[in-house]
Amino acid sequence: MAESRLSAEEQRSQIRKAATASVVGTAIEWYDFFLYGTAAATVFAGVFFPKSTPYAGTLSAFATYAVGFAARPVGAAIFGHWGDRIGRKATLIVTLVMMGVSSALIGVLPSTASIGVAAPILLVVLRILQGIAVGGEWSGSVLLSMEWGDQRRRGLMASWPQIGVPIGLILGTGAMSLLAAVAGDAFKDWGWRVPFLASLVLVAIGLWVRLRVMETPLFSRLLQTRRVAKLPVVEVLKRHPKEVVLSALLRVSEQMPFYLFTTFVITYITAPHIGMSETFAFAAVTCAAVVELAAIPYFGHLSDRVGRRRLYALGAILLAIIAFPYYALLNTAIPIVILLTIIVAQLQHAMEYGPQASLIAENFPTGLRYGGAGLGYQLASVVAGGPAPLIATWLLHDHGWQAISIFMVVGAVIGLAATLALPDRSRIDISDDAAYGATPA
């Protein structure tokens, strides 16, 4: 077997490379994805929907934002098939290039004032490509790290790719904040384009890192024994439908509030009734992401000790507890209170996001893990993450901030119920297909 040919030092080196490649590649993909969310909250209404009212323009911009989430399950299915057929590494190279090119093209996309209705149409097409790329990225990155790492520390190892999210958020909002400060009035004309174009440089770095990693030992063993499924995505939906559905539903208490805490909050606190500047909003979200950099692996590590399901359930309960205080504190319009509120909310997210990768991935056998985990994870994007800023904008406009808090409580209840219904496989041997009741055909 491939891993048996490696010395102990070489294996440790591959583990480090796998974790690094997962973090770096995922951070770059999420940098691109969050750039879009930040631009949708601040710029795209004026650039691509200039004839709309501010409210309608914001809704339209967030609608294009949601399209990327709808495309993510498609990416999970496409890359899940090949990730479980030919391996984790190859698919991750493709997703990284696809994301980088799509983002760079957004950076050079003419405005509606220049080319008319073709501009928002092309924006939607590029957003779909971004969604497909991210849809295929997540499970591959998680498995690259988790399947190479110490199986007694799967929670920690699988959490490393998860910190790509706050890193991407820091880079994305940080870049937008810097350009907003430097470019001034020109930010909405051309400044916002620069971070999108910078994607190509980051992709080149990510490719260099990922090309140095070997295929995971668990999947290599599967290839050698010729137990690769012919249609992995079809197989996982036939044999593990419950796990796919519950994996999606448990994410409602994590993904939905996350996009309220990082994207919608920018629109909310820069609105006239609170009056914070865009620079302050970007900086606050960036500070929260810095805190989450440490919190995610900590909670991943903690899940190795107390169990994934228990820790995740506590995170869902915490969401219900903070739902009303969150907006009440933002409404004080006191900068330090707003900053601390945004930071504390991200700790709730980290409590779920840290153990989430291993909690989901452990529920699928090796030959179906890329597709199964990816589908479960990304299906939540359609019902939770993508629509969240759009729904929140509507709720605020028609019913007030209290309705958004109720929306969050409902998400917490759904996530908690799904978590308690999903088996906790924190202690099983994930290389043993018998633990899952069947092996891929």
Side-chain angles (χ1 to χ4, degrees):
M1 290 180 288
E3 67 269 30
S4 65
R5 294 195 296 268
L6 297 177
S7 67
E9 178 57 35
E10 288 172 332
Q11 185 150 353
R12 284 192 293 270
S13 175
Q14 279 298 311
I15 291 172
R16 289 192 296 269
K17 288 178 181 178
T20 302
S22 294
V23 173
V24 171
T26 305
I28 293 168
E29 295 241 10
W30 283 110
Y31 162 81
D32 290 329
F33 207 74
F34 284 131
L35 273 184
Y36 193 102
T38 305
T42 57
V43 176
F44 283 174
V47 175
F48 296 106
F49 307 100
K51 295 183 179 180
S52 301
T53 65
Y55 171 58
T58 301
L59 282 177
S60 298
F62 278 143
T64 67
Y65 181 67
V67 166
F69 287 83
R72 282 164 66 170
V74 177
I78 293 171
F79 291 104
H81 172 83
W82 293 110
D84 282 329
R85 288 281 299 164
I86 63 175
R88 291 46 169 133
K89 177 180 174 178
T91 53
L92 288 175
I93 299 299
V94 177
T95 60
L96 186 60
V97 172
M98 180 183 293
M99 175 59 88
V101 172
S102 300
S103 296
L105 290 175
I106 290 174
V108 297
L109 185 61
S111 66
T112 298
S114 299
I115 62 172
V117 72
I121 291 174
L122 289 172
L123 181 67
V124 169
V125 170
L126 293 172
R127 181 60 175 171
I128 289 172
L129 292 177
Q130 277 193 328
I132 291 173
V134 166
E137 164 73 21
W138 178 82
S139 52
S141 291
V142 166
L143 300 189
L144 191 66
S145 183
M146 189 177 85
E147 292 181 352
W148 260 114
D150 184 343
Q151 294 306 298
R152 294 167 299 180
R153 305 174 69 193
R154 291 198 300 262
L156 175 62
M157 292 304 299
S159 74
W160 287 119
Q162 302 288 73
I163 70 170
V165 171
I167 292 174
L169 186 58
I170 291 168
L171 292 175
T173 57
M176 284 295 193
S177 181
L178 177 63
L179 264 297
V182 172
D185 293 339
F187 174 69
K188 293 187 177 181
D189 293 329
W190 58 265
W192 66 270
R193 298 179 181 275
V194 176
F196 283 93
L197 294 172
S199 299
L200 293 178
V201 177
L202 296 177
V203 166
I205 296 171
L207 285 175
W208 178 78
V209 173
R210 283 192 168 171
L211 287 170
R212 299 170 66 231
V213 183
M214 296 172 60
E215 185 54 76
T216 73
L218 292 184
F219 190 79
S220 295
R221 188 183 309 154
L222 201 71
L223 286 175
Q224 290 175 352
T225 55
R226 300 189 179 185
R227 291 186 293 119
V228 175
K230 293 180 180 179
L231 296 171
V233 172
V234 174
E235 288 293 324
V236 80
L237 291 175
K238 285 170 55 179
R239 299 181 179 186
H240 302 279
K242 172 185 174 182
E243 286 82 358
V244 171
V245 172
L246 290 177
S247 294
L249 291 178
L250 69 84
R251 294 204 64 218
V252 174
S253 63
E254 170 270 317
Q255 194 189 43
M256 177 266 285
F258 177 72
Y259 288 100
L260 299 183
F261 296 158
T262 59
T263 299
F264 175 74
V265 72
I266 295 174
T267 299
Y268 189 82
I269 67 175
T270 57
H273 71 287
I274 295 181
M276 295 295 107
S277 68
E278 290 179 353
T279 301
F280 174 84
F282 291 151
V285 172
T286 302
C287 288
V290 171
V291 171
E292 200 171 24
L293 272 177
I296 286 175
Y298 169 74
F299 286 117
H301 164 70
L302 189 60
S303 76
D304 286 323
R305 303 182 64 180
V306 304
R308 328 272 187 240
R309 187 169 62 180
R310 180 183 302 173
L311 188 59
Y312 199 90
L314 286 174
I317 293 170
L318 182 58
L319 173 63
I321 293 172
I322 70 171
F324 282 89
Y326 178 75
Y327 285 100
L329 290 169
L330 293 182
N331 290 337
T332 64
I334 301 172
I336 186 62
V337 172
I338 292 174
L339 174 62
L340 292 176
T341 300
I342 291 173
I343 290 173
V344 171
Q346 286 299 92
L347 291 176
Q348 179 277 326
H349 175 258
M351 185 179 289
E352 292 189 293
Y353 205 58
Q356 185 184 87
S358 47
L359 175 64
I360 292 175
E362 287 169 343
N363 273 281
F364 301 95
T366 303
L368 306 177
R369 190 169 293 138
Y370 200 126
L375 281 174
Y377 184 90
Q378 303 299 354
L379 281 171
S381 304
V382 180
V383 297
L390 187 64
I391 292 172
T393 301
W394 167 69
L395 288 173
L396 179 64
H397 184 268
D398 287 10
H399 303 286
W401 66 266
Q402 295 89 344
I404 306 176
S405 296
I406 294 172
F407 179 45
M408 291 165 64
V409 172
V410 171
V413 171
I414 293 172
L416 178 61
T419 301
L420 296 178
L422 189 72
D424 189 344
R425 293 189 163 102
S426 303
R427 308 287 184 239
I428 72 164
D429 178 1
I430 62 170
S431 66
D432 182 9
D433 285 346
Y436 298 91
T439 56

